[in-house]
Amino acid sequence: MTAGLSLAVASSPLQLMNAMEWRARRSGGEADLVLLGDRAGGGGAVEALLARRPGLWRRVLRVSGRPRPAPYAPRLMRDAADALHRSALRRLAASLGGEAYGELAFGDYRNLSQRTLTERVPRVRLTLLDDGSITPQAARWRAGLPTPDPRRFTDGWFRTGLARAMLGDPPRFEPPQVTFFTIYGRLLDSVIRPDDRVEPHAFESFRSERRAGRGETVWLLGANHVEARIADPDRHVALVRDGVAALRREGLTGPIVYRPHRGENPDRASRLAAEAGLAFEPAALPIELAYLEAERRPAAVAVIASSAADTLAAIDPALPIYRFGLPQGYLRRQRDHILAVVRAHDAFNPRIHVVCPDAESPSEAPAAL
């Protein structure tokens, strides 16, 4: 193996942004990049990131992600599609195996496609990049500690016994040692397993880029909770509307701009912004790049549950960040996971402002990380 050649695997703009920061820490040598799928429509943001630092990668390989057949498709048909995808990944791993990678960095511990490449591509060192505030959950899982939704780390390839019997579906690969390249180092100190390591960062290479003054506008970052069936549409609208009122009570009097999540339905997000009396400003850039390139940076950022609350706090520790308390009954799916994400926000950034959109309705208490 040659320490000077490395490989990164990413499936989302945030993972790619972490991969770019990881590369900035490595002086000399070359790196390849595998873009595996296009999670939640992030292709435009990925291209914007690649264009920002041309020449960073020796080569960029674009590979289809795991198939997403219609939910009503027969389970055996879905298993067949996954089997073909797994075979393609194994062929890719075999082609990459001819390289001498000193380090392999991947972006999502839950992602079966990434784990397949991770298991099969030879390398000296294995690094896990941040995929948002799921990172503390991944550290807990590796340490054998309770996690809010362990199925995220244990699901196999196939849904039917026939596919498992014919094609084999062994347990997920659990690497014996990983290095966490993470902004969440402080949250991992008490939970990381003995063999793992932490390489902390705070997006220093991005923070060193040009600085702009702060204006009066507030950015409200959207969430795809309706599209993911995490929340009922009416409750989601009410949360945003009441959250805006709570921001006004906090003394934020400037214009509020709704920046939709890339997984939100554009028409629904536009209607939501109009109903809440907000300007609507979708962007192809990741929110972190939009922040860095803004002519005037926002006076504050507000979130429902978004890893951007953490990445923006790392990029600009002086940025005021507000989080909406989630009313009882808001979460109808993935409750423990979302509450763990919220708790990570609060633990990561002690300066975060938690506002209660409806003072007469109790809020959900965050679950354990």
Side-chain angles (χ1 to χ4, degrees), residues 346-363:
D346 296 352
F348 177 74
N349 181 9
R351 296 178 58 249
I352 200 167
H353 306 272
V354 181
V355 297
C356 185
D358 185 352
E360 297 180 356
S361 177
S363 294

Side-chain angles (χ1 to χ4, degrees), residues 130-351:
D130 275 346
D131 186 37
S133 49
I134 195 68
T135 297
Q137 296 183 37
R140 292 182 65 89
W141 169 257
R142 286 187 52 79
L145 299 173
T147 57
D149 189 356
R151 291 173 300 176
R152 291 174 174 269
F153 301 100
T154 59
D155 281 347
W157 278 104
F158 304 123
R159 303 158 184 82
T160 65
L162 179 60
R164 287 191 292 270
M166 293 180 61
L167 303 169
D169 197 10
R172 286 194 185 204
F173 168 60
E174 294 289 344
Q177 190 275 330
V178 301
T179 295
F180 287 83
F181 183 78
T182 179
I183 65 174
Y184 297 100
R186 181 169 54 84
L187 302 188
L188 306 190
D189 289 342
S190 62
V191 300
I192 196 168
R193 67 189 266 178
D195 293 338
D196 288 345
R197 300 289 181 266
V198 174
E199 182 181 350
H201 76 92
F203 290 109
E204 285 85 356
S205 72
F206 287 93
R207 292 173 67 174
S208 66
E209 298 183 7
R210 76 172 186 85
R211 299 178 182 274
R214 203 175 300 285
E216 297 182 351
T217 300
V218 176
W219 289 4
L220 173 52
L221 308 187
N224 64 335
H225 288 177
V226 174
E227 288 72 14
R229 296 184 295 163
I230 290 170
D232 176 81
D234 291 339
R235 287 182 178 270
H236 184 64
V237 170
L239 176 63
V240 171
R241 183 189 61 236
D242 295 342
V244 168
L247 294 176
R248 296 305 190 198
R249 292 195 297 269
E250 292 288 322
L252 298 173
T253 58
I256 299 180
V257 172
Y258 190 78
R259 312 294 299 256
H261 186 280
R262 67 181 184 275
E264 283 187 86
N265 178 282
D267 292 336
R268 180 184 288 124
S270 178
R271 291 194 302 270
L272 169 62
E275 184 169 341
L278 311 177
F280 181 64
E281 292 187 9
L285 293 176
I287 195 65
E288 294 84 1
L289 288 194
Y291 184 81
L292 289 169
E293 294 188 354
E295 290 298 324
R296 299 284 288 175
R297 292 182 174 178
V301 167
V303 302
I304 299 172
S306 170
S307 294
D310 305 330
T311 53
L312 288 174
I315 289 171
D316 184 355
L319 172 67
I321 297 178
Y322 292 78
R323 176 179 71 75
F324 294 170
L326 301 180
Q328 289 284 351
Y330 172 78
L331 298 171
R332 67 179 190 180
R333 293 182 71 238
Q334 302 186 35
R335 177 181 179 275
D336 289 346
H337 167 64
I338 297 297
L339 292 181
V341 169
V342 165
R343 183 178 175 91
H345 295 337
D346 296 352
F348 177 74
N349 181 9
R351 296 178 58 249

